[in-house]
Amino acid sequence: MKKMIAIVLAVLMLASVMCLASCGKKEDTLTIYTEAGFAPYEFVYENEIVGVDIEIMKKVAEKLGVELVVEDVNFDSITGAVKGGKADAGAAGMTITAERDEEVDFSIPYASTEQYVIVKADNAEIATVENMVGKTIGVQQGTTGDLYCTWDLEDAGLATVDRYSKGSDAVQALKTGKVDCVIIDNEPAKALVAANSGLKILETAYANEDYAICVKK
Ligand code: ARG
């Protein structure tokens, strides 16, 4: 229920912000950038990009009376495209971070989430996040999972980070033993573990965070 209220508020506030930015101009489309390998927030179903973020932005487009255009791009290109005006908004399960906040503006948060650690089901070595020291960690490039592990572990010489353009590629690398664990957001982690056999999620989360939609400052 709290999440629903947050989503409705985010839609209303975004619609007014986007109207300030584009009402009066002749544009009749709202172009959003996302990375559609992130169920349930955005994923491809029967050749169409669907998910929570798409539903939110459909409502915003409806309120503005414009057509929604959804582009599937690499996650790490989204804030730059929004900043440069190529995209009107980024809707991609995007975590509010201080660094991103300098580049783009964020809506109010619409979901409180966590970063989860996925390991092979028979992994006895990594039982808590502390056990990632000395390991190779798979992440989606440019995500907070990537940033946190880079700052906390790789920059300190404590672990290696392997970056993939898709979360599912990081999970494939885990299955084939190229990486020891994968750090990814909680709901996508659950979806990936459900879709792939032989994997499990650690009980302790790596970090807590909030999602918001980003727009040009
Ligand atoms: N919440 C994380 C971040 O903001 C990951 C988001 C990845 N989203 C996606 N659509 N692939 O960095």
Side-chain angles (χ1 to χ4, degrees), residues 79-167:
T79 47
V82 169
K83 186 180 177 184
K86 259 174 107 178
D88 296 313
M94 188 178 285
T95 304
I96 304 171
T97 68
E99 294 74 18
R100 290 174 183 162
D101 206 23
E102 284 176 14
E103 305 289 307
V104 290
D105 273 350
F106 281 107
S107 69
I108 57 163
Y110 62 88
S112 295
T113 63
E114 291 171 311
Q115 290 290 314
Y116 275 0
V117 183
I118 309 176
V119 293
K120 278 195 179 168
D122 60 1
N123 187 322
E125 270 185 71
I126 306 181
T128 75
V129 292
E130 283 79 33
N131 302 141
M132 290 192 298
V133 170
K135 303 291 182 214
T136 302
I137 305 162
V139 296
Q140 183 176 27
Q141 170 124 3
T143 59
T144 44
D146 178 4
L147 302 177
Y148 302 152
C149 292
T150 304
W151 296 331
D152 297 351
L153 298 162
E154 195 176 59
D155 286 355
L158 294 173
T160 306
V161 180
D162 273 5
R163 300 168 182 86
Y164 298 87
S165 56
K166 300 240 154 244

Side-chain angles (χ1 to χ4, degrees), residues 61-84:
E62 206 177 283
K63 277 223 158 282
L64 295 175
V66 296
E67 188 201 332
L68 183 67
V69 177
V70 183
E71 301 283 354
D72 186 10
V73 299
N74 280 345
F75 181 77
D76 63 353
S77 71
I78 297 176
T79 47
V82 169
K83 186 180 177 184

